[in-house]
Structure formats: C-alpha cells, structure tokens
Amino acid sequence: MIFFWRKYKRLVKRNCTDPNLADTELAYWRNQLFAATVLFIVPLSVIAIIPGVYMAITTEFYLLLFADFVVVLSLGFIAFSSILTLNFRKKLLCASLYFVSIVLLYDLGSFGPGLLYLLALTVFISLIFEFKYGVISLIINSIVCTLFALFIYYDFGRSPIVSQYGLDSWIAVSLNLIFLSAVSVVLIPRLFDGLQSAFKKRTEAEIELNKSKKELEESLALLEEKSKELEQFAYAASHDLKEPLRMIQGFLNLLEKRYQGKLDERARKYIHFSVDGAKRLGTLIDDLLEYSRVGRIHTNIENIDLNEMLNELIKNEIAHSGDSTEIIQFNSLPVINAVPVSINMLFRNLISNALKYQDGKKDPEIKITSMEDQNYWDFAVIDNGIGIEKKFFDKIFMLFNRLHTKEEYPGTGMGLAICKKIVEEHGGKIWVESEVNKGSVFKFTLPKTRR
C-alpha cells in the first residue's frame, strides 16, 4: 500500500508542478498547493462517490449524478494524464468544481454545500492563480447569484431555492457571498505580495552573502599569499644581510687591533658602538629569521612530553646562564600533539623573559601550570617579576615592540611576537595578566589534536 501511495504521489507531483521553478518564486508555491490539493482530493472523491451515487439515484437527482461523474473523470485526467499542460489542469479542476457547485445549489438549495463551494472556489482560485483569475471567479459568483435571483423572481424551475428564498432574502445571502469573495480576491494577493517581497529580499540577501563570502575568500587567499611572500622575503633578507654584517664586524675588530694605541678615546668609543650595533643587528636578524621559520620550516607534528622537554630545556639553557634550576617549578605536565621545535622555542622565550624582567631585589620564581579543557590544554607561565601595565597588554605581542631601553633590559622585541605566532599556528591563543611590581602570568591554549 505504501509503495502504491509513493508512486501515486510522485506521479501527481510530476504532472501538477513545474520542476523549472525555484522555491523562491511565488508560482512554485502556488503549484505546490495545487499538487497537494489534487493529491488528496482524488482518493477522497473516490471514497465519496459511492454514497453520492446512491443518494442521487434514490432522490432522482440525475443531474447531480452526472456532475459527480464529470468531477471524478476530470480529476482522473488532471492527476494521471501526461498530455495536459499545468495551466489547463488547474482550469479544468476549477471548471469541474464550479459545475458541481452550481448543480448542488440548483438541486439541493440551502440544504447542500453549493454556496460554501462557491466561496471556497474563489479562495482556492486566488491561491493557485494570479490576481486576474480571482477577479474572474468573483464575476462568476455574481453571475450565478444573479441567475438564481432571476429563478426566484420569475418562479422558474424546480430548484428548492425558489421555494426557500424570497428575492430580498436571496439578495442578502448573495451579497454576503459576493462580499466574502471580494475580500478573498483582494486580501489573498496582498498576502502573496508580502511573501514574494520576502522571497525577493531573501534571494537578494543570499546573493549578497555569497558575494561577500567570495570576496572574503579571495581576500583571505590574497592575504595568505602575501604573508608567504613576506615570510620568504624575511627569510631571504635575513640570509643576505648576515654576510655583509659579519664583514663589518670583522673589519671593525681588525681596525681596533691593528691601530691599538694609535686611536684616541673617542675613536675607540665609536668602534665599540659600531661593533655593539652590529652584534645587536645580528641578533635581530637571527630573531627575524626564526620568526619567518615558524609554521613554514618547522612543521613536523609529534607527541611531546612537556616534562621531559622542560627538564632538557632547563638543563641546557637555564643552568648555563648561571641561574639555579630550582627557581622553575612544574610537575605533571601533559603529553601534547604539536611541533617540537616550536613548542621548545615558546617555553624558552617565556621562561627567558620571566628571568630577564626582574628588579634584582628578590630571587626569581617561575611556575608552569596546566589545566585540561574539553578540546584544549590551558597553560600558564607565572613569574614574580616587574609586571606590565594593562595598557601594554596587546602591544607586547607585536613585532619589534619594546617597553624598556636596551640599557635597562636587553632584547630585540621579537620574543613574544614569536610566541604569539607559534600559539596561533597551533590553533590556540595567548594573552597576559599582570600587575606592576607583582609579576605576570602568561596564559596560552593549545588544542589537544592538531589538524
């Protein structure tokens, strides 16, 4: 049974809709309503025909029997014939229903649903057709009512309406029918105009959204391309600058040695400034080169035991600087999935900054903690250093931004920019919480799995 219903449903939909219309067009929804009406009215008419035929025969309403036969035959053509156009199917259904409505009105008068059918047909026509067909339906209703008024006036025919109504009462009933039909003809198109306007605005919004999405994708692709070009430029420029810089340092050192004792204090000071500047420029180039490598050269993702990595880092880096390894506290750090070289650089820079930015009045204390979230690991590097003013929280992560002179605290202003790039390349974020003279907490997140 379900198989036959689905097959019948597909057939009706194919015959009673237009596959070329989009669901943003008003005609599409008019056709869908028509198809749904046909889909259910055909089996219901078959069910209703048996008692209808019996009543027509027993009451000798043979015109009504003929009308029922015409409607069923028309519905069969509308639902199953493949040669009819969609517009003709609609008109055939409305015409057959008008015929049965008039017959019901003539044979049964106010005892039948004829008047209700006329009003329902006007509403139905206003729903499945454009405005002009609704006006035509209103005219037909007026003609039908006028025709029966003439029957009553001239006492013509055997219709029960002649005996049930006087002319005045029939005019009152007719005017109500015509008024309700007119209201339907006027209001339903206004409703559809509102729907059409909504469809149009939605379509325009989708077009604009797709356009904006395309422009955004193009902008992102261009930005990514320029970013790669910039990284490649930084990498090439760093390499190209190293050689002449080494040459400058070499000749300045040679000049100082060869003319030792022959230069006055001012000349030796100038040479010292030049050598120091060359060294700092070399460090800056190294940091710039390291920045360009993040996410480009270092890409191999591995499982990293952070406890082992930090123990090795402290052993190789911190102990050699003369600081005690006991000032850095951590335990039970997780195993993460990330790029080993980058993560090592991230912790090295954060620990180095925590050791460097101290006031010298107390021993440094650094604590590294971790917390597990659903999709991320949350880390914190906590120190007891000089702290940072809130207005500089964002600035410190920018390239070449320094809050102190090189005489106060050495560096290039690249360390935290490198940290930010490493964290974001891994899909996380980094930020700082700090108070002046009370230390800083550098927090960052890393996803549990790197895609």
Side-chain angles (χ1 to χ4, degrees):
M1 190 67 181
I2 295 176
F3 169 77
F4 288 109
W5 172 258
R6 288 176 178 172
K7 189 174 181 180
Y8 162 68
K9 187 176 180 180
R10 286 195 298 269
L11 180 63
V12 170
K13 185 175 182 180
R14 184 175 70 245
N15 289 335
C16 298
T17 59
D18 186 348
N20 297 318
L21 294 175
D23 63 358
T24 54
E25 298 182 57
L26 190 56
Y28 170 88
W29 294 103
R30 292 184 189 273
N31 293 342
Q32 291 293 322
L33 177 61
F34 172 66
T37 303
V38 173
L39 181 68
F40 291 103
I41 201 173
V42 169
L44 290 175
S45 66
V46 173
I47 295 171
I49 193 66
I50 297 174
V53 168
Y54 175 77
M55 186 197 76
I57 293 174
T58 55
T59 56
E60 298 183 352
F61 289 146
Y62 298 113
L63 183 59
L64 182 59
L65 179 63
F66 177 69
D68 288 340
F69 174 76
V70 168
V71 170
V72 171
L73 189 63
S74 299
L75 287 172
F77 275 108
I78 292 167
F80 303 112
S81 175
S82 59
I83 61 174
L84 304 179
T85 64
L86 176 57
N87 197 46
F88 184 80
R89 293 176 200 273
K90 290 182 177 182
K91 292 178 180 177
L92 178 60
L93 176 62
C94 294
S96 61
L97 291 177
Y98 255 118
F99 177 57
V100 78
S101 299
I102 294 170
V103 171
L104 283 167
L105 197 58
Y106 181 81
D107 277 349
L108 302 179
S110 59
F111 296 112
L115 287 171
L116 182 61
Y117 275 28
L118 290 178
L119 177 59
L121 262 169
T122 302
V123 173
F124 182 64
I125 288 170
S126 298
L127 288 172
I128 66 170
F129 285 109
E130 54 268 26
F131 176 71
K132 67 178 183 179
Y133 287 98
V135 175
I136 292 172
S137 175
L138 177 60
I139 293 172
I140 292 173
N141 287 356
S142 302
I143 292 172
V144 171
C145 290
T146 302
L147 180 63
F148 279 99
L150 292 173
F151 285 176
I152 294 169
Y153 181 76
Y154 289 106
D155 195 18
F156 175 79
R158 64 177 184 82
S159 175
I161 284 182
V162 175
S163 59
Q164 290 172 352
Y165 292 97
L167 184 60
D168 292 342
S169 60
W170 175 251
I171 290 174
V173 170
S174 300
L175 287 177
N176 279 329
L177 171 66
I178 293 170
F179 171 74
L180 292 175
S181 298
V183 169
S184 302
V185 170
V186 172
L187 292 185
I188 290 175
R190 288 181 65 86
L191 172 64
F192 278 151
D193 288 342
L195 290 174
Q196 185 66 68
S197 177
F199 286 148
K200 184 178 179 181
K201 288 180 180 178
R202 191 187 80 173
T203 303
E204 290 174 351
E206 287 177 351
I207 293 172
E208 190 65 29
L209 180 62
N210 290 332
K211 182 180 177 182
S212 300
K213 184 179 178 182
K214 185 178 179 181
E215 290 175 352
L216 179 61
E217 289 174 350
E218 291 174 352
S219 298
L220 288 174
L222 181 61
L223 180 63
E224 186 177 354
E225 182 181 347
K226 295 301 181 184
S227 178
K228 288 180 180 179
E229 289 178 0
L230 182 62
E231 288 179 0
Q232 291 171 356
F233 168 77
Y235 182 75
S238 299
H239 272 287
D240 292 342
L241 287 171
K242 294 282 280 188
E243 185 176 351
L245 189 61
R246 283 194 296 267
M247 185 181 295
I248 292 171
Q249 285 181 270
F251 274 103
L252 285 171
N253 289 328
L254 185 61
L255 181 65
E256 187 177 25
K257 289 179 182 178
R258 178 166 296 185
Y259 292 95
Q260 190 174 12
K262 299 179 180 180
L263 298 173
D264 59 15
E265 183 63 27
R266 179 176 293 180
R268 288 195 297 273
K269 186 180 293 186
Y270 289 163
I271 292 175
H272 172 74
F273 288 156
S274 299
V275 171
D276 182 62
K279 288 179 179 178
R280 285 190 288 108
L281 181 57
T283 303
L284 184 60
I285 291 173
D286 287 337
D287 287 346
L288 184 61
L289 185 60
E290 202 61 61
Y291 182 84
S292 70
R293 284 174 174 170
V294 174
R296 189 172 61 87
I297 302 298
H298 310 308
T299 57
N300 57 311
I301 300 172
E302 300 177 11
N303 288 328
I304 308 168
D305 187 331
L306 291 181
N307 298 288
E308 293 181 3
M309 191 201 74
L310 283 175
N311 281 323
E312 192 69 21
L313 176 63
I314 293 170
K315 176 182 174 183
N316 294 334
E317 301 288 337
I318 308 303
H320 291 169
S321 67
D323 292 308
S324 170
T325 58
E326 295 180 358
I327 63 177
I328 303 175
Q329 302 294 325
F330 64 90
N331 58 13
S332 301
L333 296 178
V335 175
I336 65 171
N337 187 249
V339 180
V341 175
S342 296
I343 298 301
N344 188 290
M345 192 186 312
L346 170 64
F347 279 100
R348 187 172 72 241
N349 281 331
L350 291 176
I351 292 172
S352 176
N353 279 354
L355 291 171
K356 178 168 61 175
Y357 292 103
Q358 296 283 335
D359 58 12
K361 298 177 182 179
K362 54 185 178 294
D363 293 333
E365 293 180 4
I366 302 170
K367 186 178 181 181
I368 301 172
T369 64
S370 67
M371 289 182 61
E372 184 177 7
D373 200 352
Q374 183 176 356
N375 299 312
Y376 290 85
W377 289 107
D378 299 329
F379 295 95
V381 178
I382 308 164
D383 66 54
N384 63 339
I386 60 174
I388 304 166
E389 290 186 54
K390 188 174 182 179
K391 63 181 180 181
F392 298 123
F393 281 3
D394 293 328
K395 184 178 179 181
I396 59 174
F397 292 102
M398 297 179 184
L399 280 171
F400 308 118
N401 270 288
R402 291 175 50 80
L403 305 183
H404 309 278
T405 65
K406 62 182 180 63
E407 288 77 20
E408 292 176 302
Y409 299 98
T412 60
M414 292 284 292
L416 289 176
I418 292 174
C419 291
K420 183 174 185 292
K421 187 175 182 183
I422 290 171
V423 171
E424 291 179 350
E425 283 285 340
H426 280 77
K429 60 180 181 178
I430 186 170
W431 68 99
V432 65
E433 297 173 0
S434 181
E435 289 186 46
V436 176
N437 299 323
K438 292 186 178 180
S440 302
V441 181
F442 283 87
K443 296 184 175 181
F444 60 94
T445 61
L446 293 175
K448 290 184 177 180
T449 56
R450 175 94 184 273
R451 296 180 180 179

